[in-house]
Amino acid sequence: MLPSLPFPMHPKMHEDQTLVFSTKEDEEERRHIRKVQNAFQYYRRYAYLRVNKTEDYLNSLAADDQRLLSKYRSHLDNVRNCIDCNQAVIREILRDRLLYPTGDNATDVSDASQLDEAPEHVRHGDMDQTNFRVDGQDDDDVADDVVEPLKILKAQSTLKLIARDWSSECAVEREQSYKPIIDSIEEYYKPTDYKLNEIKILVPGAGLGRLTYELACRGYACEGNEFSYFMLIASNFVLNLCDYEDKHVLYPWVHQYVNNMRRADQVAPVRFPDVCPVKYPPKGNIEMAAGDFLEVYKTPNAYNCVATCFFIDCANNVIDFIRTIYKILVPGGIWVNLGPLLYHYSDISGQNSIEPTYEDLVIIMESIGFDIISTHTGISTKYAQNPLSMKQSKYKSLFWVCRKPPNNFDQQQQQKQQQQQEPPDLIVHQSNKDVNPDVHVDFETERQREREPKQT
């Protein structure tokens, strides 16, 4: 059995690596978790509002129009049934209380039916998504039992991310994003050359934990880090509480009312998990840590590899992420990244953001000290897409492998070599049809060069 993963409550890591909470911080975290729990519990009631609105309009149409839409009316009933099934899965996810607050204000789980009860007070506001606020903003002025629409949308998104990470239907999407990362790590830290259980890999923004699990299955010591309690609650459920494959059925696309070719496409089922971590525990150590990446990871020279996937654009200031990654890598360690530059805080009211281009990022990474081993653009990747939808959005993602120079590397010689080369226009366009670098980097030759005695 895979041992239960530790999910500390937003830890503040200090030099002695102990977790320290003030009373205020502890209460703030409990308060936040209650809101996440309430959002999950309110999922069905909120989802029904959308169906009821459509049905009310349908009932107002002329009799002939209603007759022509008789199958569509039946379809709305099927949508409700799918929402009910999703709520049943949510009830199972909420049954384990490892992450949840205990005490007088916590829901009593002895009566499972209470996990279906939505809180009475809901701050609807304007239900237009463009007016929803960013998670974590202005939380202090919202009562614990008030559910904000944005949080409920995040509960809906979590269901789609379960499908992305843990269903066979989304295997192609995972391969687009995760395979280049895994292949590069295995090429650099080859099983024939290293004791993999001594190679420590960090996956910030681990989400539902599949990349973390896959790397641990290959024998590496892998740690996932996630800030969102929506993700932490769901990943804990999949990694620790699902005891066989395809145990649960979700309808992750049921909230997509447009661009459906067939009625069945909106209510298509997805089973999860396609692989059961409880039955097939990884060979390497696996851990999950809750908290803000910049607050939790401050210890220098702690990891052999940092693997980021759809993560670096989640920062207000991406330079903070790059500096932290460089700091926590051991000399000679690598940073492998894949994803777009969406910059989540761009144009969000009340949030500051900078949005450097890829051209800028290359300059920033090299200035901070990274050696750019390889970099590619145009990697076709999707993110939580319904494969049956008429609309298929995709990113032309960036992919790179950077290295923190080893201690025994002659920096002056490195600079001399760089001056003899062409300017560092490292951009290579490539598609997913050929995920291997156009120019192969022989990591073993690089290491042999570093081991050679310095010339005096």
Side-chain angles (χ1 to χ4, degrees), residues 7-18:
F7 287 90
M9 293 181 58
H10 198 7
K12 311 288 186 180
M13 304 301 289
H14 292 259
E15 292 182 359
D16 59 358
Q17 295 299 291
T18 57

Side-chain angles (χ1 to χ4, degrees), residues 176 179-180 183 376 379 399 430-437:
Q176 291 174 343
K179 188 175 188 299
D183 287 350
H376 307 275
I379 307 295
F399 176 73
Q430 99 177 27
S431 69
N432 276 99
K433 295 181 180 179
D434 180 15
V435 298
N436 293 321

Side-chain angles (χ1 to χ4, degrees), residues 372-384:
I372 300 179
I373 296 178
S374 64
T375 179
H376 307 275
T377 65
I379 307 295
S380 180
T381 50
K382 297 180 180 180
Y383 194 86

